[in-house]
């Protein structure tokens, strides 16, 4: 009888109930909120469902030493998490993004590239704010990249500069990517007039196949000669785009834009979510990172809109740019471009801005990767 009681007590000792802390419940509830937003509001469901479910998995309490948790060496989750810690998954995602991206809008109106560059101010603003709040330069650089609204880039740079903060940085970056339709419209309305919101832009010109094929080759040569540290991301981005535009590697382009990016997204979302284990994640630093990330994202959106207004001072009537596309300078593709289009349609139901907004949007993808390379070059 005593033996059976001891066995039962030992069993109970290993259950989640015996190892439960209030922080686990907090993180599980946040995971459920992510899943709810993904399903009911369709906020980035491909990201929020894996991350939300990962949060639930990562916060089921367990007895330490059984190789169960994501931070326990040689556990299954720990092995999968190596792809995040060592920066394997982000280049694969960039490969898929490149294979899905059409740079025609950017090639037809190259000056719109400046908007994508301007929006990266949010990254460096958050970097300086993080330094002022006591983070190390490396940590500040990793936190700053949240302003680009680019989850894979945030994971890649934090794996290099601040691995201990990776969970908070990654969840923050993906959260703000998902909340683009909520955060950006009020900023866009605040800094534009009704007259500016109905500006009509000239239709993009037709881009030749030669231009499309040449762009990824020249793009990788130029960007990676300037910032070689961005090669893992930029190289894969432009390689994926060449697979798409060459016209002779359709199978490879389909694989990159389909199975490869889907598998990488599942693994990166699930393991990043699981890395929010309450005992390691719920810290004052994590909360501060979320606040800095929000500030960075707001600054990036604001500066993108204001930069278009500044450009318009030098453009003639008929060539002016609708400042509502300034928000799409962040690299949340294609959500921020859709937001530009949707807000524009609120004020003129026949003024479609999507084709124009895609230019700074894809420029923002390149810009955030270049910014990450710049930060790595002098912080690593």
């Amino acid at each position: 009888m005593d033996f059976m009681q001891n066995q039962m007590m030992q069993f109970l000792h290993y259950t989640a109930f015996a190892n439960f802390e209030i922080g686990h419940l907090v993180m599980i509830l946040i995971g459920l909120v992510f899943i709810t937003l993904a399903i009911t509001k369709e906020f980035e469901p491909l990201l929020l469902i894996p991350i939300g479910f990962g949060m639930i998995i990562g916060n089921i309490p367990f007895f330490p030493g059984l190789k169960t948790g994501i931070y326990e060496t040689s556990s299954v989750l720990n092995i999968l998490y190596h792809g995040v810690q060592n920066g394997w998954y982000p280049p694969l995602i960039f490969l898929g993004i490149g294979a899905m991206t059409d740079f025609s809008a950017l090639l037809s109106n190259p000056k719109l590239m400046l908007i994508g560059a301007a929006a990266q101010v949010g990254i460096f603003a958050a970097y300086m704010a993080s330094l002022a709040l006591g983070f190390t330069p490396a940590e500040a650089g990793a936190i700053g990249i949240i302003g680009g609204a680019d989850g894979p880039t945030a994971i890649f740079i934090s794996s290099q500069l601040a691995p201990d903060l990776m969970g908070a940085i990654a969840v923050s970056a993906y959260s703000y990517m998902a909340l683009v339709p909520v955060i950006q419209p009020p900023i866009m309305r605040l800094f534009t007039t009704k007259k500016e919101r109905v500006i009509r832009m000239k239709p993009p010109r037709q881009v030749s196949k030669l231009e499309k094929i040449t762009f990824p080759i020249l793009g990788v040569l130029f960007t990676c000669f300037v910032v070689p540290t961005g090669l893992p991301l930029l190289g894969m981005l432009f390689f994926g785009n060449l697979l798409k535009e060459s016209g002779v590697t359709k199978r490879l382009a389909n694989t990159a834009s389909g199975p490869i990016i889907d598998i990488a997204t599942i693994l990166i979302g699930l393991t990043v979510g699981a890395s929010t284990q309450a005992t390691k994640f719920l810290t004052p630093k994590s909360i501060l990172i979320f606040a800095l990330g929000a500030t960075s994202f707001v600054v990036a959106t604001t500066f993108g809109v204001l930069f278009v207004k500044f450009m318009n001072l030098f453009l003639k009537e008929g060539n002016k740019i609708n400042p509502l596309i300034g928000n799409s300078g962040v690299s949340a593709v294609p959500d921020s471009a859709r937001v530009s289009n949707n807000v524009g349609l609120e004020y003129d139901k026949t003024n479609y801005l999507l084709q124009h907004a895609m230019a700074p949007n894809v420029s923002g993808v390149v810009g955030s990767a270049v910014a990450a390379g710049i930060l790595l070059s002098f912080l690593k």
Side-chain angles (χ1 to χ4, degrees), residues 70-84:
I70 195 168
Y71 295 109
E72 293 191 307
T73 304
S74 299
S75 72
V76 174
L77 283 174
N78 179 260
I79 292 170
L80 294 176
Y81 193 50
H82 284 183
V84 174

Side-chain angles (χ1 to χ4, degrees), residues 286-301:
S286 296
I287 297 170
L288 190 54
I289 286 169
F290 268 80
L292 286 167
T295 303
S296 175
F297 189 59
V298 168
V299 170
T301 303

Side-chain angles (χ1 to χ4, degrees), residues 19 70 107 113 128 151 171 176 203 210 215 262 267-268 333 345 364-365 368:
N19 296 280
I70 195 168
L107 293 171
M113 185 182 297
M128 291 184 287
V171 172
Y176 295 127
L210 178 61
F215 178 73
D262 288 344
L267 293 177
I268 206 170
V333 178
L345 290 175
V365 175
S368 65

Side-chain angles (χ1 to χ4, degrees), residues 60 88 128 180 183 194 199 248 282 296 299 313 335 377:
I60 295 175
W88 301 337
M128 291 184 287
V180 160
I183 298 172
K194 191 171 182 180
I199 290 176
V248 294
L282 286 179
S296 175
V299 170
L313 296 176
D335 283 354
S377 64

Side-chain angles (χ1 to χ4, degrees), residues 64-114:
L66 298 180
K67 293 187 177 181
T68 302
I70 195 168
Y71 295 109
E72 293 191 307
T73 304
S74 299
S75 72
V76 174
L77 283 174
N78 179 260
I79 292 170
L80 294 176
Y81 193 50
H82 284 183
V84 174
Q85 291 176 309
N86 297 292
W88 301 337
Y89 300 146
L92 294 177
I93 291 177
F94 264 67
L95 174 68
I97 292 172
M100 292 188 291
T101 300
D102 185 353
F103 285 99
S104 296
L106 182 61
L107 293 171
S108 69
N109 195 352
K111 66 176 176 287
L112 297 182
M113 185 182 297
L114 297 174

Side-chain angles (χ1 to χ4, degrees), residues 221-254:
L221 288 172
F222 176 74
T223 57
C224 292
F225 264 78
V226 174
V227 280
T229 46
L231 183 59
L233 299 179
L234 292 165
M236 295 296 268
L237 175 73
F238 287 121
F239 174 51
N241 189 244
L242 182 61
L243 292 177
K244 172 183 181 292
E245 300 298 353
S246 68
V248 294
T249 53
K250 186 176 180 180
R251 283 174 52 193
L252 300 183
N254 289 341

Side-chain angles (χ1 to χ4, degrees), residues 26 43 55 69 91 95 98 122 132 178 202 214 253 274 278 372-373:
V26 171
F43 288 170
M55 286 180 169
L95 174 68
K202 290 181 178 179
T214 304

Side-chain angles (χ1 to χ4, degrees), residues 138-359:
E139 290 173 340
I143 293 168
I145 210 71
I146 297 171
D150 188 338
T153 302
I155 288 172
F156 180 77
I157 195 170
S158 59
S159 71
Q160 305 290 315
L161 297 179
D164 292 342
L165 303 180
M166 187 186 302
I169 290 170
V171 172
S172 179
Y174 278 119
S175 298
Y176 295 127
M177 284 176 66
L179 292 174
V180 160
V182 176
I183 298 172
Q184 289 195 321
I187 300 171
M188 296 158 65
R189 296 187 187 101
L190 178 63
F191 291 104
T192 57
T193 65
K194 191 171 182 180
K195 181 180 179 181
E196 289 173 327
R197 295 173 202 145
V198 295
I199 290 176
R200 285 184 173 270
M201 299 173 64
K202 290 181 178 179
R205 69 173 177 83
Q206 191 70 28
V207 178
S208 69
K209 183 176 180 179
L210 178 61
E211 288 177 282
K212 292 182 179 182
I213 293 173
T214 304
F215 178 73
I217 298 172
L218 295 179
V220 73
L221 288 172
F222 176 74
T223 57
C224 292
F225 264 78
V226 174
V227 280
T229 46
L231 183 59
L233 299 179
L234 292 165
M236 295 296 268
L237 175 73
F238 287 121
F239 174 51
N241 189 244
L242 182 61
L243 292 177
K244 172 183 181 292
E245 300 298 353
S246 68
V248 294
T249 53
K250 186 176 180 180
R251 283 174 52 193
L252 300 183
N254 289 341
T255 300
S257 62
I260 287 180
I261 195 172
D262 288 344
I263 291 170
T265 299
I266 290 171
L267 293 177
I268 206 170
L270 190 69
T271 53
V272 162
S275 73
T276 63
Q277 191 175 303
T279 51
K280 291 182 177 289
F281 184 80
L282 286 179
T283 65
K285 269 191 174 182
S286 296
I287 297 170
L288 190 54
I289 286 169
F290 268 80
L292 286 167
T295 303
S296 175
F297 189 59
V298 168
V299 170
T301 303
T302 301
F303 204 85
V305 173
L306 294 179
F307 185 76
V308 174
K309 291 165 69 80
F310 175 74
M311 290 178 67
N312 280 341
L313 296 176
F314 305 94
L315 297 175
K316 297 178 180 179
E317 287 296 331
N319 290 324
K320 292 190 181 294
I321 303 168
N322 191 314
L324 289 179
I325 73 170
N327 74 295
S328 59
V330 300
S331 63
V333 178
D335 283 354
S336 54
R338 287 197 192 116
V339 169
S340 303
N341 188 62
N342 292 340
V343 175
L345 290 175
E346 291 176 12
Y347 298 93
D348 183 347
K349 295 189 181 299
T350 62
N351 190 15
Y352 293 91
L353 297 173
L354 183 62
Q355 57 185 345
H356 305 290
M358 282 304 298

